[in-house]
Amino acid sequence: MLGWEADELIGKPQHVLTHHTRANGSPYPKHACPIYAAFHDGAVHRVDNEVFWKKDGSAIPVEYSSTPVRNDKGELVGAVVTFSDISDRKRREEALRQAYAEVERLKERLQAENLYLRQEIKLSQNFEEIIGESPAMVQAKRLVEQVATTDATVLILGETGVGKELFARAIHNLSARSERPLVKVNCAALPSNLIESELFGHEKGAFTGATSQRQGRFELAEGGTIFLDEIGELPLELQAKLLRVIQEGEFERLGGSRTIKTDIRIVAATHRDLAQMIEAGEFRDDLFYRLNVFPLTIAALRHRRDDLPQLISHFVHKFAKKLSKSIETIPESVQAALQGYDWPGNIRELQNIIERAVILSAKGILQLDASFAGREPAKNPAAAKLETELAAAKDRRSLEQVEREHILSVLGQTSWRIAGEHGAALILDLHPNTLRSRMKKLGISKSQ
């Protein structure tokens, strides 16, 4: 078993030849060896977790017993060592250990997912489905259908209350990842000192109060989609870590050193102007470009008034059912008041107003809260449309300006080399032809 010949061993110190080092590579002193102990204490020594070293320098795991040998006078004169190669047993034990570890890992993951899903079920959704057939909504739905079947990162833009989470859910549900979880993280709702642990998890003892290992939202979303709501509120120091996850698909838990690979789809959302935040040094431009692969803008409610009748009817039915009330009539004056309001809080505000109205209603007639009458009416439709177009043009210009400056900066670093190993396209993670197309669109040329 060990590869030695008898004449190579007879008369030689056996410990030095076959038992000199432990399995972990540390030296094995002769005085600590159970085989030698049998020579001195006269007891039988049995060991089942050591190694013997072969002539070729490799080791095999063994179990052995060292039995003392006495002469006719009862004096210790030696020992008989019998041993077995337990390599197969060790392999089976390791396979079993890994199987148990995998079962435990899956059990922990299922428990974490179930906890998360129970928390999600408790949350009251703003509305169950995307409602509205205005041109803006039809276009948004069409874009969702186009991007959902890919793994592209999506950045959902829009004012507070327009239903960005609903669109994130639609993207996930229409994707190949729909059987896996959609995990939501509200970056604005988490304290800055806890958000890293929430996103990436932590090891036991990583900080005061970390009494056990904990999986983060990125691990919970494995194979599925993570929705980073209010991404503009993410602290700068964590933006770099998020960038690494997007670029390399890996991260470490807080307080840990093991790199965890991840396969997830990222959907982010914000109501803030990320271009202005970049200019103010509050948001990384490289992260913006990674997130802005497929921007999806959700129109404010005041810019899609055609959807109001359908939305009003939906919420009246929803809350009447919830409150066990019967609403048969929506007076024209109520409809006109709702149509004439500017809705700065968008769908969320409309939902709250309708719920309050249903509570106040009697005799099957929808009745608005008296305080609603004093609210500021909507702007003239033509003026509102012009304001919308100007705002969209401004946002477009500001984003294009940021993009233009970023491309110019990279071109400056590469001495205007576009393609190749040291070209700007590689740094920007774009195909050279795509970069040339963007340069043409943005009016970027070396002559300028």
Side-chain angles (χ1 to χ4, degrees), residues 126-127 129-133 137 162 166 301 304-319 330 335 338 346-347 350-351 354:
N126 288 335
F127 43 90
E129 56 185 286
I130 298 174
I131 296 171
E133 298 301 327
M137 290 302 288
V162 294
L166 192 66
L301 185 54
R304 52 184 185 98
R305 294 184 183 279
D306 294 348
D307 293 332
L308 271 167
Q310 192 176 356
L311 285 165
I312 293 167
S313 175
H314 169 77
F315 285 130
V316 168
H317 176 75
K318 173 183 175 179
F319 291 117
I330 302 177
Q335 192 77 257
L338 294 172
N346 292 293
I347 304 295
L350 173 64
Q351 179 177 258
I354 296 296

PDB file of all heavy atoms in Angstrom, residues 126-127 129-133 137 162 166 301 304-319 330 335 338 346-347 350-351 354:
ATOM      1  N   ASN A 126     -50.186  48.899  -4.492  1.00  0.00           N
ATOM      2  CA  ASN A 126     -50.862  50.119  -4.949  1.00  0.00           C
ATOM      3  C   ASN A 126     -52.026  49.779  -5.870  1.00  0.00           C
ATOM      4  O   ASN A 126     -53.094  50.362  -5.775  1.00  0.00           O
ATOM      5  CB  ASN A 126     -49.876  51.025  -5.673  1.00  0.00           C
ATOM      6  CG  ASN A 126     -48.905  51.663  -4.706  1.00  0.00           C
ATOM      7  OD1 ASN A 126     -49.214  51.808  -3.533  1.00  0.00           O
ATOM      8  ND2 ASN A 126     -47.737  52.016  -5.180  1.00  0.00           N
ATOM      9  N   PHE A 127     -51.832  48.855  -6.768  1.00  0.00           N
ATOM     10  CA  PHE A 127     -52.916  48.306  -7.572  1.00  0.00           C
ATOM     11  C   PHE A 127     -52.434  47.012  -8.212  1.00  0.00           C
ATOM     12  O   PHE A 127     -51.250  46.777  -8.346  1.00  0.00           O
ATOM     13  CB  PHE A 127     -53.402  49.299  -8.649  1.00  0.00           C
ATOM     14  CG  PHE A 127     -52.294  50.030  -9.374  1.00  0.00           C
ATOM     15  CD1 PHE A 127     -51.739  49.496 -10.529  1.00  0.00           C
ATOM     16  CD2 PHE A 127     -51.825  51.239  -8.918  1.00  0.00           C
ATOM     17  CE1 PHE A 127     -50.742  50.176 -11.207  1.00  0.00           C
ATOM     18  CE2 PHE A 127     -50.821  51.909  -9.592  1.00  0.00           C
ATOM     19  CZ  PHE A 127     -50.285  51.382 -10.727  1.00  0.00           C
ATOM     20  N   GLU A 129     -52.896  45.631 -11.264  1.00  0.00           N
ATOM     21  CA  GLU A 129     -52.496  45.511 -12.660  1.00  0.00           C
ATOM     22  C   GLU A 129     -52.261  46.900 -13.238  1.00  0.00           C
ATOM     23  O   GLU A 129     -52.696  47.898 -12.695  1.00  0.00           O
ATOM     24  CB  GLU A 129     -53.579  44.785 -13.456  1.00  0.00           C
ATOM     25  CG  GLU A 129     -54.940  45.438 -13.346  1.00  0.00           C
ATOM     26  CD  GLU A 129     -56.008  44.633 -14.040  1.00  0.00           C
ATOM     27  OE1 GLU A 129     -56.022  44.649 -15.284  1.00  0.00           O
ATOM     28  OE2 GLU A 129     -56.814  43.998 -13.351  1.00  0.00           O
ATOM     29  N   ILE A 130     -51.529  46.935 -14.330  1.00  0.00           N
ATOM     30  CA  ILE A 130     -51.256  48.216 -14.986  1.00  0.00           C
ATOM     31  C   ILE A 130     -52.527  48.649 -15.726  1.00  0.00           C
ATOM     32  O   ILE A 130     -52.995  47.963 -16.624  1.00  0.00           O
ATOM     33  CB  ILE A 130     -50.067  48.094 -15.954  1.00  0.00           C
ATOM     34  CG1 ILE A 130     -48.813  47.706 -15.175  1.00  0.00           C
ATOM     35  CG2 ILE A 130     -49.850  49.390 -16.719  1.00  0.00           C
ATOM     36  CD1 ILE A 130     -47.616  47.413 -16.043  1.00  0.00           C
ATOM     37  N   ILE A 131     -53.051  49.781 -15.335  1.00  0.00           N
ATOM     38  CA  ILE A 131     -54.323  50.250 -15.881  1.00  0.00           C
ATOM     39  C   ILE A 131     -54.096  51.511 -16.697  1.00  0.00           C
ATOM     40  O   ILE A 131     -53.397  52.426 -16.269  1.00  0.00           O
ATOM     41  CB  ILE A 131     -55.323  50.534 -14.738  1.00  0.00           C
ATOM     42  CG1 ILE A 131     -55.647  49.223 -14.009  1.00  0.00           C
ATOM     43  CG2 ILE A 131     -56.598  51.182 -15.256  1.00  0.00           C
ATOM     44  CD1 ILE A 131     -56.440  49.415 -12.760  1.00  0.00           C
ATOM     45  N   GLY A 132     -54.685  51.553 -17.864  1.00  0.00           N
ATOM     46  CA  GLY A 132     -54.589  52.746 -18.701  1.00  0.00           C
ATOM     47  C   GLY A 132     -54.244  52.412 -20.139  1.00  0.00           C
ATOM     48  O   GLY A 132     -53.416  51.533 -20.395  1.00  0.00           O
ATOM     49  N   GLU A 133     -54.894  53.099 -21.053  1.00  0.00           N
ATOM     50  CA  GLU A 133     -54.653  52.887 -22.482  1.00  0.00           C
ATOM     51  C   GLU A 133     -54.240  54.182 -23.178  1.00  0.00           C
ATOM     52  O   GLU A 133     -54.382  54.308 -24.393  1.00  0.00           O
ATOM     53  CB  GLU A 133     -55.914  52.314 -23.149  1.00  0.00           C
ATOM     54  CG  GLU A 133     -56.345  50.954 -22.607  1.00  0.00           C
ATOM     55  CD  GLU A 133     -55.267  49.890 -22.756  1.00  0.00           C
ATOM     56  OE1 GLU A 133     -54.512  49.949 -23.744  1.00  0.00           O
ATOM     57  OE2 GLU A 133     -55.179  49.005 -21.877  1.00  0.00           O
ATOM     58  N   MET A 137     -49.046  55.157 -21.751  1.00  0.00           N
ATOM     59  CA  MET A 137     -49.084  53.840 -21.122  1.00  0.00           C
ATOM     60  C   MET A 137     -48.909  52.721 -22.134  1.00  0.00           C
ATOM     61  O   MET A 137     -48.244  51.717 -21.873  1.00  0.00           O
ATOM     62  CB  MET A 137     -50.406  53.671 -20.369  1.00  0.00           C
ATOM     63  CG  MET A 137     -50.517  54.545 -19.139  1.00  0.00           C
ATOM     64  SD  MET A 137     -49.181  54.239 -17.963  1.00  0.00           S
ATOM     65  CE  MET A 137     -49.658  52.647 -17.333  1.00  0.00           C
ATOM     66  N   VAL A 162     -46.063  56.999  -9.294  1.00  0.00           N
ATOM     67  CA  VAL A 162     -46.564  56.656 -10.638  1.00  0.00           C
ATOM     68  C   VAL A 162     -46.693  55.145 -10.838  1.00  0.00           C
ATOM     69  O   VAL A 162     -47.249  54.697 -11.837  1.00  0.00           O
ATOM     70  CB  VAL A 162     -45.658  57.238 -11.748  1.00  0.00           C
ATOM     71  CG1 VAL A 162     -45.709  58.753 -11.746  1.00  0.00           C
ATOM     72  CG2 VAL A 162     -44.232  56.730 -11.627  1.00  0.00           C
ATOM     73  N   LEU A 166     -44.775  48.520  -9.877  1.00  0.00           N
ATOM     74  CA  LEU A 166     -45.671  47.690 -10.682  1.00  0.00           C
ATOM     75  C   LEU A 166     -45.020  47.319 -12.010  1.00  0.00           C
ATOM     76  O   LEU A 166     -45.128  46.186 -12.480  1.00  0.00           O
ATOM     77  CB  LEU A 166     -46.977  48.436 -10.919  1.00  0.00           C
ATOM     78  CG  LEU A 166     -48.110  47.594 -11.499  1.00  0.00           C
ATOM     79  CD1 LEU A 166     -48.556  46.540 -10.515  1.00  0.00           C
ATOM     80  CD2 LEU A 166     -49.271  48.480 -11.891  1.00  0.00           C
ATOM     81  N   LEU A 301     -49.374  61.191 -13.808  1.00  0.00           N
ATOM     82  CA  LEU A 301     -50.815  61.065 -14.043  1.00  0.00           C
ATOM     83  C   LEU A 301     -51.382  62.294 -14.741  1.00  0.00           C
ATOM     84  O   LEU A 301     -52.279  62.177 -15.586  1.00  0.00           O
ATOM     85  CB  LEU A 301     -51.524  60.821 -12.708  1.00  0.00           C
ATOM     86  CG  LEU A 301     -53.026  60.549 -12.763  1.00  0.00           C
ATOM     87  CD1 LEU A 301     -53.332  59.396 -13.715  1.00  0.00           C
ATOM     88  CD2 LEU A 301     -53.561  60.248 -11.378  1.00  0.00           C
ATOM     89  N   ARG A 304     -51.370  61.973 -18.459  1.00  0.00           N
ATOM     90  CA  ARG A 304     -52.174  60.916 -19.093  1.00  0.00           C
ATOM     91  C   ARG A 304     -53.576  60.916 -18.490  1.00  0.00           C
ATOM     92  O   ARG A 304     -54.052  59.926 -17.947  1.00  0.00           O
ATOM     93  CB  ARG A 304     -51.499  59.557 -18.964  1.00  0.00           C
ATOM     94  CG  ARG A 304     -51.076  59.141 -17.564  1.00  0.00           C
ATOM     95  CD  ARG A 304     -50.322  57.811 -17.615  1.00  0.00           C
ATOM     96  NE  ARG A 304     -49.990  57.283 -16.323  1.00  0.00           N
ATOM     97  CZ  ARG A 304     -50.680  56.347 -15.664  1.00  0.00           C
ATOM     98  NH1 ARG A 304     -51.782  55.863 -16.208  1.00  0.00           N
ATOM     99  NH2 ARG A 304     -50.293  55.914 -14.489  1.00  0.00           N
ATOM    100  N   ARG A 305     -54.230  62.068 -18.605  1.00  0.00           N
ATOM    101  CA  ARG A 305     -55.562  62.239 -18.017  1.00  0.00           C
ATOM    102  C   ARG A 305     -56.594  61.319 -18.654  1.00  0.00           C
ATOM    103  O   ARG A 305     -57.636  61.039 -18.054  1.00  0.00           O
ATOM    104  CB  ARG A 305     -56.003  63.702 -18.141  1.00  0.00           C
ATOM    105  CG  ARG A 305     -55.144  64.632 -17.304  1.00  0.00           C
ATOM    106  CD  ARG A 305     -55.646  66.072 -17.359  1.00  0.00           C
ATOM    107  NE  ARG A 305     -54.753  66.939 -16.598  1.00  0.00           N
ATOM    108  CZ  ARG A 305     -54.794  67.069 -15.279  1.00  0.00           C
ATOM    109  NH1 ARG A 305     -55.701  66.409 -14.584  1.00  0.00           N
ATOM    110  NH2 ARG A 305     -53.951  67.850 -14.652  1.00  0.00           N
ATOM    111  N   ASP A 306     -56.313  60.852 -19.872  1.00  0.00           N
ATOM    112  CA  ASP A 306     -57.257  59.936 -20.516  1.00  0.00           C
ATOM    113  C   ASP A 306     -57.451  58.656 -19.704  1.00  0.00           C
ATOM    114  O   ASP A 306     -58.464  57.961 -19.867  1.00  0.00           O
ATOM    115  CB  ASP A 306     -56.755  59.564 -21.925  1.00  0.00           C
ATOM    116  CG  ASP A 306     -56.752  60.746 -22.872  1.00  0.00           C
ATOM    117  OD1 ASP A 306     -57.344  61.779 -22.509  1.00  0.00           O
ATOM    118  OD2 ASP A 306     -56.151  60.645 -23.956  1.00  0.00           O
ATOM    119  N   ASP A 307     -56.475  58.341 -18.843  1.00  0.00           N
ATOM    120  CA  ASP A 307     -56.567  57.120 -18.042  1.00  0.00           C
ATOM    121  C   ASP A 307     -57.370  57.310 -16.754  1.00  0.00           C
ATOM    122  O   ASP A 307     -57.689  56.332 -16.071  1.00  0.00           O
ATOM    123  CB  ASP A 307     -55.159  56.623 -17.663  1.00  0.00           C
ATOM    124  CG  ASP A 307     -54.376  56.145 -18.873  1.00  0.00           C
ATOM    125  OD1 ASP A 307     -55.011  55.699 -19.834  1.00  0.00           O
ATOM    126  OD2 ASP A 307     -53.131  56.228 -18.837  1.00  0.00           O
ATOM    127  N   LEU A 308     -57.688  58.556 -16.408  1.00  0.00           N
ATOM    128  CA  LEU A 308     -58.348  58.816 -15.130  1.00  0.00           C
ATOM    129  C   LEU A 308     -59.701  58.108 -14.973  1.00  0.00           C
ATOM    130  O   LEU A 308     -59.948  57.499 -13.924  1.00  0.00           O
ATOM    131  CB  LEU A 308     -58.509  60.318 -14.909  1.00  0.00           C
ATOM    132  CG  LEU A 308     -57.326  60.996 -14.205  1.00  0.00           C
ATOM    133  CD1 LEU A 308     -57.431  62.503 -14.307  1.00  0.00           C
ATOM    134  CD2 LEU A 308     -57.262  60.558 -12.741  1.00  0.00           C
ATOM    135  N   PRO A 309     -60.611  58.168 -15.950  1.00  0.00           N
ATOM    136  CA  PRO A 309     -61.899  57.477 -15.761  1.00  0.00           C
ATOM    137  C   PRO A 309     -61.731  56.000 -15.438  1.00  0.00           C
ATOM    138  O   PRO A 309     -62.402  55.467 -14.541  1.00  0.00           O
ATOM    139  CB  PRO A 309     -62.611  57.693 -17.099  1.00  0.00           C
ATOM    140  CG  PRO A 309     -62.003  58.952 -17.640  1.00  0.00           C
ATOM    141  CD  PRO A 309     -60.566  58.908 -17.227  1.00  0.00           C
ATOM    142  N   GLN A 310     -60.820  55.326 -16.154  1.00  0.00           N
ATOM    143  CA  GLN A 310     -60.602  53.901 -15.927  1.00  0.00           C
ATOM    144  C   GLN A 310     -59.997  53.654 -14.543  1.00  0.00           C
ATOM    145  O   GLN A 310     -60.383  52.724 -13.832  1.00  0.00           O
ATOM    146  CB  GLN A 310     -59.675  53.355 -17.018  1.00  0.00           C
ATOM    147  CG  GLN A 310     -59.611  51.835 -17.068  1.00  0.00           C
ATOM    148  CD  GLN A 310     -58.756  51.346 -18.223  1.00  0.00           C
ATOM    149  OE1 GLN A 310     -58.261  52.126 -19.031  1.00  0.00           O
ATOM    150  NE2 GLN A 310     -58.575  50.033 -18.295  1.00  0.00           N
ATOM    151  N   LEU A 311     -59.067  54.503 -14.139  1.00  0.00           N
ATOM    152  CA  LEU A 311     -58.430  54.363 -12.830  1.00  0.00           C
ATOM    153  C   LEU A 311     -59.432  54.630 -11.699  1.00  0.00           C
ATOM    154  O   LEU A 311     -59.464  53.916 -10.697  1.00  0.00           O
ATOM    155  CB  LEU A 311     -57.249  55.325 -12.712  1.00  0.00           C
ATOM    156  CG  LEU A 311     -55.988  54.933 -13.481  1.00  0.00           C
ATOM    157  CD1 LEU A 311     -55.045  56.124 -13.596  1.00  0.00           C
ATOM    158  CD2 LEU A 311     -55.277  53.771 -12.791  1.00  0.00           C
ATOM    159  N   ILE A 312     -60.232  55.667 -11.871  1.00  0.00           N
ATOM    160  CA  ILE A 312     -61.239  55.993 -10.848  1.00  0.00           C
ATOM    161  C   ILE A 312     -62.201  54.831 -10.663  1.00  0.00           C
ATOM    162  O   ILE A 312     -62.494  54.411  -9.537  1.00  0.00           O
ATOM    163  CB  ILE A 312     -61.999  57.283 -11.246  1.00  0.00           C
ATOM    164  CG1 ILE A 312     -61.047  58.491 -11.202  1.00  0.00           C
ATOM    165  CG2 ILE A 312     -63.198  57.498 -10.324  1.00  0.00           C
ATOM    166  CD1 ILE A 312     -61.612  59.732 -11.877  1.00  0.00           C
ATOM    167  N   SER A 313     -62.690  54.285 -11.776  1.00  0.00           N
ATOM    168  CA  SER A 313     -63.618  53.156 -11.714  1.00  0.00           C
ATOM    169  C   SER A 313     -62.969  51.956 -11.025  1.00  0.00           C
ATOM    170  O   SER A 313     -63.601  51.279 -10.202  1.00  0.00           O
ATOM    171  CB  SER A 313     -64.056  52.782 -13.133  1.00  0.00           C
ATOM    172  OG  SER A 313     -64.860  51.630 -13.120  1.00  0.00           O
ATOM    173  N   HIS A 314     -61.702  51.703 -11.353  1.00  0.00           N
ATOM    174  CA  HIS A 314     -60.988  50.568 -10.759  1.00  0.00           C
ATOM    175  C   HIS A 314     -60.878  50.717  -9.244  1.00  0.00           C
ATOM    176  O   HIS A 314     -61.181  49.777  -8.490  1.00  0.00           O
ATOM    177  CB  HIS A 314     -59.597  50.463 -11.382  1.00  0.00           C
ATOM    178  CG  HIS A 314     -58.689  49.509 -10.658  1.00  0.00           C
ATOM    179  ND1 HIS A 314     -58.792  48.146 -10.790  1.00  0.00           N
ATOM    180  CD2 HIS A 314     -57.681  49.736  -9.774  1.00  0.00           C
ATOM    181  CE1 HIS A 314     -57.877  47.561 -10.028  1.00  0.00           C
ATOM    182  NE2 HIS A 314     -57.190  48.505  -9.403  1.00  0.00           N
ATOM    183  N   PHE A 315     -60.480  51.894  -8.774  1.00  0.00           N
ATOM    184  CA  PHE A 315     -60.272  52.088  -7.338  1.00  0.00           C
ATOM    185  C   PHE A 315     -61.598  52.130  -6.576  1.00  0.00           C
ATOM    186  O   PHE A 315     -61.676  51.666  -5.438  1.00  0.00           O
ATOM    187  CB  PHE A 315     -59.462  53.353  -7.081  1.00  0.00           C
ATOM    188  CG  PHE A 315     -57.996  53.195  -7.412  1.00  0.00           C
ATOM    189  CD1 PHE A 315     -57.352  54.130  -8.211  1.00  0.00           C
ATOM    190  CD2 PHE A 315     -57.270  52.119  -6.939  1.00  0.00           C
ATOM    191  CE1 PHE A 315     -56.023  53.990  -8.530  1.00  0.00           C
ATOM    192  CE2 PHE A 315     -55.933  51.965  -7.249  1.00  0.00           C
ATOM    193  CZ  PHE A 315     -55.300  52.893  -8.046  1.00  0.00           C
ATOM    194  N   VAL A 316     -62.628  52.704  -7.195  1.00  0.00           N
ATOM    195  CA  VAL A 316     -63.949  52.698  -6.548  1.00  0.00           C
ATOM    196  C   VAL A 316     -64.403  51.253  -6.321  1.00  0.00           C
ATOM    197  O   VAL A 316     -64.860  50.889  -5.228  1.00  0.00           O
ATOM    198  CB  VAL A 316     -64.977  53.468  -7.396  1.00  0.00           C
ATOM    199  CG1 VAL A 316     -66.400  53.202  -6.884  1.00  0.00           C
ATOM    200  CG2 VAL A 316     -64.689  54.960  -7.358  1.00  0.00           C
ATOM    201  N   HIS A 317     -64.278  50.412  -7.356  1.00  0.00           N
ATOM    202  CA  HIS A 317     -64.675  49.006  -7.234  1.00  0.00           C
ATOM    203  C   HIS A 317     -63.827  48.289  -6.183  1.00  0.00           C
ATOM    204  O   HIS A 317     -64.352  47.530  -5.351  1.00  0.00           O
ATOM    205  CB  HIS A 317     -64.546  48.311  -8.588  1.00  0.00           C
ATOM    206  CG  HIS A 317     -64.842  46.848  -8.542  1.00  0.00           C
ATOM    207  ND1 HIS A 317     -66.116  46.352  -8.444  1.00  0.00           N
ATOM    208  CD2 HIS A 317     -64.001  45.775  -8.549  1.00  0.00           C
ATOM    209  CE1 HIS A 317     -66.070  45.034  -8.408  1.00  0.00           C
ATOM    210  NE2 HIS A 317     -64.794  44.650  -8.468  1.00  0.00           N
ATOM    211  N   LYS A 318     -62.531  48.546  -6.197  1.00  0.00           N
ATOM    212  CA  LYS A 318     -61.612  47.879  -5.269  1.00  0.00           C
ATOM    213  C   LYS A 318     -61.954  48.198  -3.815  1.00  0.00           C
ATOM    214  O   LYS A 318     -62.073  47.296  -2.970  1.00  0.00           O
ATOM    215  CB  LYS A 318     -60.172  48.294  -5.579  1.00  0.00           C
ATOM    216  CG  LYS A 318     -59.148  47.798  -4.568  1.00  0.00           C
ATOM    217  CD  LYS A 318     -57.755  48.318  -4.900  1.00  0.00           C
ATOM    218  CE  LYS A 318     -56.757  47.927  -3.811  1.00  0.00           C
ATOM    219  NZ  LYS A 318     -55.383  48.400  -4.125  1.00  0.00           N
ATOM    220  N   PHE A 319     -62.118  49.487  -3.508  1.00  0.00           N
ATOM    221  CA  PHE A 319     -62.338  49.868  -2.117  1.00  0.00           C
ATOM    222  C   PHE A 319     -63.783  49.624  -1.660  1.00  0.00           C
ATOM    223  O   PHE A 319     -64.024  49.386  -0.478  1.00  0.00           O
ATOM    224  CB  PHE A 319     -61.928  51.323  -1.899  1.00  0.00           C
ATOM    225  CG  PHE A 319     -60.441  51.521  -2.003  1.00  0.00           C
ATOM    226  CD1 PHE A 319     -59.898  52.320  -2.990  1.00  0.00           C
ATOM    227  CD2 PHE A 319     -59.589  50.879  -1.122  1.00  0.00           C
ATOM    228  CE1 PHE A 319     -58.534  52.482  -3.102  1.00  0.00           C
ATOM    229  CE2 PHE A 319     -58.213  51.041  -1.218  1.00  0.00           C
ATOM    230  CZ  PHE A 319     -57.678  51.840  -2.214  1.00  0.00           C
ATOM    231  N   ILE A 330     -71.177  57.606  -9.763  1.00  0.00           N
ATOM    232  CA  ILE A 330     -70.110  58.598  -9.604  1.00  0.00           C
ATOM    233  C   ILE A 330     -70.624  59.885 -10.260  1.00  0.00           C
ATOM    234  O   ILE A 330     -70.675  59.982 -11.491  1.00  0.00           O
ATOM    235  CB  ILE A 330     -68.807  58.150 -10.281  1.00  0.00           C
ATOM    236  CG1 ILE A 330     -68.338  56.797  -9.710  1.00  0.00           C
ATOM    237  CG2 ILE A 330     -67.713  59.200 -10.096  1.00  0.00           C
ATOM    238  CD1 ILE A 330     -67.095  56.234 -10.384  1.00  0.00           C
ATOM    239  N   GLN A 335     -66.597  63.452 -10.868  1.00  0.00           N
ATOM    240  CA  GLN A 335     -65.723  63.080 -11.984  1.00  0.00           C
ATOM    241  C   GLN A 335     -64.959  64.294 -12.487  1.00  0.00           C
ATOM    242  O   GLN A 335     -63.748  64.228 -12.763  1.00  0.00           O
ATOM    243  CB  GLN A 335     -66.564  62.480 -13.111  1.00  0.00           C
ATOM    244  CG  GLN A 335     -65.781  61.796 -14.207  1.00  0.00           C
ATOM    245  CD  GLN A 335     -65.283  60.424 -13.835  1.00  0.00           C
ATOM    246  OE1 GLN A 335     -64.108  60.277 -13.535  1.00  0.00           O
ATOM    247  NE2 GLN A 335     -66.159  59.423 -13.827  1.00  0.00           N
ATOM    248  N   LEU A 338     -62.210  65.357 -10.038  1.00  0.00           N
ATOM    249  CA  LEU A 338     -61.047  64.461 -10.103  1.00  0.00           C
ATOM    250  C   LEU A 338     -60.269  64.681 -11.399  1.00  0.00           C
ATOM    251  O   LEU A 338     -59.026  64.646 -11.407  1.00  0.00           O
ATOM    252  CB  LEU A 338     -61.509  62.999 -10.005  1.00  0.00           C
ATOM    253  CG  LEU A 338     -62.147  62.589  -8.663  1.00  0.00           C
ATOM    254  CD1 LEU A 338     -62.731  61.180  -8.758  1.00  0.00           C
ATOM    255  CD2 LEU A 338     -61.117  62.660  -7.538  1.00  0.00           C
ATOM    256  N   ASN A 346     -49.695  61.618  -7.898  1.00  0.00           N
ATOM    257  CA  ASN A 346     -49.931  60.594  -8.916  1.00  0.00           C
ATOM    258  C   ASN A 346     -50.889  59.499  -8.447  1.00  0.00           C
ATOM    259  O   ASN A 346     -51.836  59.779  -7.718  1.00  0.00           O
ATOM    260  CB  ASN A 346     -48.589  60.019  -9.392  1.00  0.00           C
ATOM    261  CG  ASN A 346     -47.803  61.062 -10.170  1.00  0.00           C
ATOM    262  OD1 ASN A 346     -48.210  61.468 -11.254  1.00  0.00           O
ATOM    263  ND2 ASN A 346     -46.699  61.520  -9.614  1.00  0.00           N
ATOM    264  N   ILE A 347     -50.639  58.252  -8.885  1.00  0.00           N
ATOM    265  CA  ILE A 347     -51.574  57.153  -8.626  1.00  0.00           C
ATOM    266  C   ILE A 347     -51.779  56.947  -7.124  1.00  0.00           C
ATOM    267  O   ILE A 347     -52.879  56.671  -6.661  1.00  0.00           O
ATOM    268  CB  ILE A 347     -51.060  55.847  -9.259  1.00  0.00           C
ATOM    269  CG1 ILE A 347     -50.807  56.026 -10.760  1.00  0.00           C
ATOM    270  CG2 ILE A 347     -52.051  54.706  -9.024  1.00  0.00           C
ATOM    271  CD1 ILE A 347     -52.021  56.303 -11.573  1.00  0.00           C
ATOM    272  N   LEU A 350     -54.232  59.477  -5.883  1.00  0.00           N
ATOM    273  CA  LEU A 350     -55.569  59.149  -6.387  1.00  0.00           C
ATOM    274  C   LEU A 350     -56.170  57.995  -5.590  1.00  0.00           C
ATOM    275  O   LEU A 350     -57.348  58.034  -5.208  1.00  0.00           O
ATOM    276  CB  LEU A 350     -55.483  58.771  -7.878  1.00  0.00           C
ATOM    277  CG  LEU A 350     -56.774  58.240  -8.511  1.00  0.00           C
ATOM    278  CD1 LEU A 350     -57.853  59.305  -8.519  1.00  0.00           C
ATOM    279  CD2 LEU A 350     -56.506  57.730  -9.926  1.00  0.00           C
ATOM    280  N   GLN A 351     -55.380  56.991  -5.336  1.00  0.00           N
ATOM    281  CA  GLN A 351     -55.865  55.833  -4.579  1.00  0.00           C
ATOM    282  C   GLN A 351     -56.341  56.249  -3.187  1.00  0.00           C
ATOM    283  O   GLN A 351     -57.416  55.830  -2.735  1.00  0.00           O
ATOM    284  CB  GLN A 351     -54.729  54.805  -4.471  1.00  0.00           C
ATOM    285  CG  GLN A 351     -55.085  53.555  -3.690  1.00  0.00           C
ATOM    286  CD  GLN A 351     -53.953  52.557  -3.693  1.00  0.00           C
ATOM    287  OE1 GLN A 351     -53.988  51.581  -4.419  1.00  0.00           O
ATOM    288  NE2 GLN A 351     -52.941  52.801  -2.879  1.00  0.00           N
ATOM    289  N   ILE A 354     -59.668  58.243  -3.403  1.00  0.00           N
ATOM    290  CA  ILE A 354     -60.822  57.389  -3.700  1.00  0.00           C
ATOM    291  C   ILE A 354     -61.201  56.549  -2.478  1.00  0.00           C
ATOM    292  O   ILE A 354     -62.393  56.386  -2.157  1.00  0.00           O
ATOM    293  CB  ILE A 354     -60.524  56.471  -4.905  1.00  0.00           C
ATOM    294  CG1 ILE A 354     -60.303  57.308  -6.172  1.00  0.00           C
ATOM    295  CG2 ILE A 354     -61.664  55.475  -5.113  1.00  0.00           C
ATOM    296  CD1 ILE A 354     -61.495  58.097  -6.629  1.00  0.00           C
TER     297      ILE A 354
END
